[in-house]
């Protein structure tokens, strides 16, 4: 291993991996200085006591950076506007949290004159790619240390043993050692019994869900809310204007109480393997549904259909850690153009895990009741015009059929 590294900036969460990385770095890099950096993207109580813990395990200092507003406005909202999901289910909660954290860590590393940046991502996961591509985008010459790819520890069990041997306090046990990632958008669960896709997630088990309840445990009456959008950005709930953070907290509360946003999927990881995860995304699921509903009346057919193709590619880019790339930026420019008329109100009926439409209005609505009505439209639409349209639209079908008949004779 290299011995010339004197100062390392560590992406620090205080969880199992990063807790043991601090003493490991000092042991393997000539007692180098370790500066811990935690990006606050809405982990809540997970940040409590981090400074004491980081310093106790060997860090010289800890930065806690409030990234919540930036996270929502610059990463979440553009992805919602795009309607981007990964494999049609995953709302990208971990994926787009990594670039905002990694970018902030690069800023600290430059400020501190660090020789290297270290992260605790495993060599089997996606996050190593997301962190390192962001680091390469803003500090291409920076040395990156990924202990999971080089140390002798082979499992989380061995990590726990290492922590116990070094008297590092942990908030987990061997029995509750799910791998989790929490932020203001979602909470993910991986590992233990979830590694077998044949096992049903224990949604009703106390302590499993953290952001809400199972639909089975949700209230027996629906909740109604109205979300206002300005150019595809949510700005108010039930008539109350809200900043990005308050709005997400409000929707998370409503969604969580009503069992919204539970996803159980086996996804294709970037590194090639399949992985099973359970995600809680209560407020995010509400936002995606509301935004899609508003677009139905505000976008023309060609734009709406083409945007669905863009959403698939956008989701893949975010999942693969390619946020800071020309293609993602170009797609975001396209999406922003489509959102100029996505302004209005969406009323939602939320009941036992379901989010359904209860009414949409927009000053830019392309829906015309006068034209679409089954009653007398007053001459707004001439039904006899459809005959010529069908003749032209169906001409290839007719010609092919005539040719087939001719060949059969």
């Amino acid at each position: 291993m290299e011995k010339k590294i004197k100062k390392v900036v560590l992406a620090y969460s205080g969880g199992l991996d990063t807790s043991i990385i601090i003493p490991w770095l000092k042991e393997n890099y000539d007692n180098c200085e370790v500066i811990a950096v935690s990006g606050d993207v809405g982990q809540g109580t997970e940040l409590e006591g981090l400074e004491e813990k980081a310093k106790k395990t060997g860090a010289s200092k800890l930065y806690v950076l409030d990234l919540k507003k930036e996270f929502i406005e610059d990463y979440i909202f553009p992805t919602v506007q795009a309607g981007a999901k990964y494999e049609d289910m995953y709302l990208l909660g971990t994926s787009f949290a990594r670039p905002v954290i990694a970018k902030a860590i690069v800023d600290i590393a430059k400020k501190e004159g660090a020789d290297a940046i270290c992260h605790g991502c495993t060599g089997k996961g996606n996050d190593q790619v997301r962190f390192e591509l962001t680091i390469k985008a803003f500090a291409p010459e920076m040395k990156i240390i990924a202990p999971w790819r080089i140390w002798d520890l082979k499992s989380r069990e061995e990590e726990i043993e290492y922590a116990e041997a070094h008297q590092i306090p942990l908030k987990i046990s061997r029995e509750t050692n799910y791998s989790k990632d929490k932020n203001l958008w979602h909470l993910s669960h991986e590992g233990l019994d979830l590694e077998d896709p044949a096992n049903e997630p224990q949604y009703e088990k106390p302590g499993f869900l953290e952001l809400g309840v199972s639909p089975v445990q949700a209230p027996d009456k629906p909740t109604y809310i109205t979300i206002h959008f300005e150019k595809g950005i949510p700005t108010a709930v039930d008539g109350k204007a809200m900043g990005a953070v308050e709005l997400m907290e409000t929707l998370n509360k409503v969604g969580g109480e009503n069992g919204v946003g539970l996803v159980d999927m086996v996804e294709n990881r970037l590194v090639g393997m399949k992985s099973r995860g359970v995600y809680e995304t209560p407020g995010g699921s509400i936002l995606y549904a509301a935004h899609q509903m508003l677009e139905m009346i505000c976008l023309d057919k060609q734009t709406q259909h083409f945007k669905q193709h863009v959403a698939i590619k956008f989701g893949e880019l975010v999942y693969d850690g390619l946020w800071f790339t020309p293609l993602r930026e170009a797609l975001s420019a396209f999406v922003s153009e489509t959102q100029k008329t996505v302004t209005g109100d969406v009323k939602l009926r939320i009941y036992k895990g379901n989010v359904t439409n209860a009414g949409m209005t927009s000053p830019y609505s392309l829906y015309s009741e006068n034209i679409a009505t089954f009653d007398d439209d007053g001459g707004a639409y001439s039904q006899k015009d459809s005959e010529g349209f069908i003749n032209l639209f169906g001409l290839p079908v007719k010609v092919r059929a005539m040719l087939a008949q001719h060949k059969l004779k």
Side-chain angles (χ1 to χ4, degrees):
M1 292 185 179
E2 297 179 32
K3 299 295 183 180
K4 297 179 180 179
I5 294 175
K6 297 180 180 180
K7 183 182 292 188
V8 180
V9 167
L10 169 66
Y12 183 73
S13 67
L16 175 59
D17 296 331
T18 57
S19 293
I20 67 173
I21 283 176
I22 294 176
W24 181 87
L25 284 170
K26 299 182 79 66
E27 287 176 0
N28 289 275
Y29 290 90
D30 287 345
N31 198 33
C32 65
E33 180 183 0
V34 179
I35 298 171
V37 180
S38 295
D40 181 3
V41 287
Q43 300 94 311
T45 56
E46 292 182 9
L47 295 170
E48 294 176 1
L50 278 193
E51 182 172 11
E52 180 183 357
K53 183 176 181 180
K55 290 183 177 179
K56 186 176 180 180
T57 51
S60 62
K61 67 175 74 171
L62 169 71
Y63 286 90
V64 177
L65 310 174
D66 187 351
L67 305 174
K68 295 190 292 294
K69 186 173 183 290
E70 179 184 356
F71 175 41
I72 299 172
E73 293 181 347
D74 296 348
Y75 297 82
I76 291 179
F77 284 170
T79 306
V80 173
Q81 286 180 306
K85 303 177 184 179
Y86 184 67
E87 297 185 340
D88 202 37
M89 295 179 69
Y90 175 42
L91 299 187
L92 301 164
T94 299
S95 306
F96 49 31
R98 297 310 182 226
V100 65
I101 295 172
K103 182 175 180 292
I105 289 172
V106 169
D107 291 340
I108 296 298
K110 290 181 176 180
K111 173 184 174 182
E112 290 283 351
D115 304 304
I117 291 175
C118 179
H119 64 73
C121 307
T122 75
K124 290 184 178 181
N126 301 306
D127 281 344
Q128 58 182 335
V129 182
R130 296 163 183 158
F131 267 109
E132 293 186 29
L133 292 189
T134 300
I135 294 169
K136 292 178 186 298
F138 293 98
E141 306 302 323
M142 182 68 69
K143 168 72 176 176
I144 298 173
I145 300 174
W148 263 107
R149 301 204 290 254
I150 55 178
W151 63 16
D152 295 329
L153 302 177
K154 302 299 182 184
S155 67
R156 292 176 71 81
E157 177 73 20
E158 291 184 7
E159 285 187 287
I160 293 175
E161 292 174 358
Y162 182 97
E164 291 173 345
H166 288 75
Q167 297 182 326
I168 299 171
L170 299 173
K171 294 182 179 179
I172 62 173
S173 68
R174 288 173 171 78
E175 291 72 31
T176 61
N177 188 22
Y178 282 110
S179 176
K180 297 187 179 185
D181 177 71
K182 183 180 182 181
N183 58 47
L184 198 54
W185 182 253
H186 92 151
L187 174 66
S188 63
H189 309 255
E190 294 179 326
L192 297 182
D193 57 306
L194 297 178
E195 290 188 345
D196 184 351
N199 293 330
E200 179 183 4
Q202 301 302 303
Y203 292 132
E204 286 81 44
K205 183 179 180 181
F208 181 76
L209 297 179
E210 297 182 26
L211 301 186
V213 300
S214 163
V216 174
Q217 300 166 321
D220 293 326
K221 63 178 182 178
T223 297
Y224 287 87
I225 62 169
T226 299
I227 302 176
H228 179 73
F229 289 85
E230 288 286 338
K231 296 183 178 180
I233 299 294
T235 60
V237 177
D238 290 335
K240 179 184 176 183
M242 297 181 181
V245 175
E246 182 186 3
L247 186 138
M248 277 311 310
E249 291 173 341
T250 299
L251 295 183
N252 277 337
K253 183 175 185 297
V254 174
E257 291 172 347
N258 288 279
V260 170
L262 300 181
V263 170
D264 175 11
M265 67 181 292
V266 175
E267 67 199 58
N268 290 293
R269 281 184 177 176
L270 175 59
V271 295
M273 70 186 71
K274 288 185 181 290
S275 173
R276 200 269 188 96
V278 171
Y279 300 104
E280 300 179 56
T281 321
S285 297
I286 293 173
L287 265 189
Y288 264 79
H291 182 262
Q292 183 180 13
M293 290 173 193
L294 188 58
E295 284 194 328
M296 287 193 296
I297 63 173
C298 293
L299 297 184
D300 65 276
K301 173 184 173 180
Q302 295 297 331
T303 300
Q304 186 176 353
H305 286 191
F306 186 76
K307 190 169 175 289
Q308 291 172 349
H309 296 287
V310 170
I312 294 173
K313 188 61 182 178
F314 198 108
E316 290 175 350
L317 292 173
V318 177
Y319 187 87
D320 292 348
L322 295 168
W323 185 272
F324 297 108
T325 59
L327 180 55
R328 199 283 307 166
E329 293 170 0
L331 293 183
S332 284
F334 164 77
V335 170
S336 293
E337 182 67 22
T338 69
Q339 300 300 289
K340 287 183 176 179
T341 60
V342 185
T343 294
D345 294 286
V346 181
K347 186 178 181 181
L348 303 167
R349 183 180 190 267
I350 303 172
Y351 179 66
K352 288 190 175 294
N354 296 299
V355 180
T356 54
N357 175 32
M360 302 173 288
T361 59
S362 171
Y364 301 102
S365 175
L366 299 176
Y367 178 84
S368 172
E369 183 178 356
N370 189 38
I371 293 177
T373 182
F374 285 98
D375 295 327
D376 184 3
D377 60 18
Y381 180 91
S382 176
Q383 297 198 30
K384 66 180 181 180
D385 289 344
S386 62
E387 181 180 358
F389 165 74
I390 295 171
N391 287 336
L392 293 177
F393 187 69
L395 185 59
V397 177
K398 181 178 179 180
V399 170
R400 184 175 183 275
M402 292 172 64
L403 177 62
Q405 289 176 354
H406 176 72
K407 287 184 175 181
L408 289 173
K409 290 181 179 179

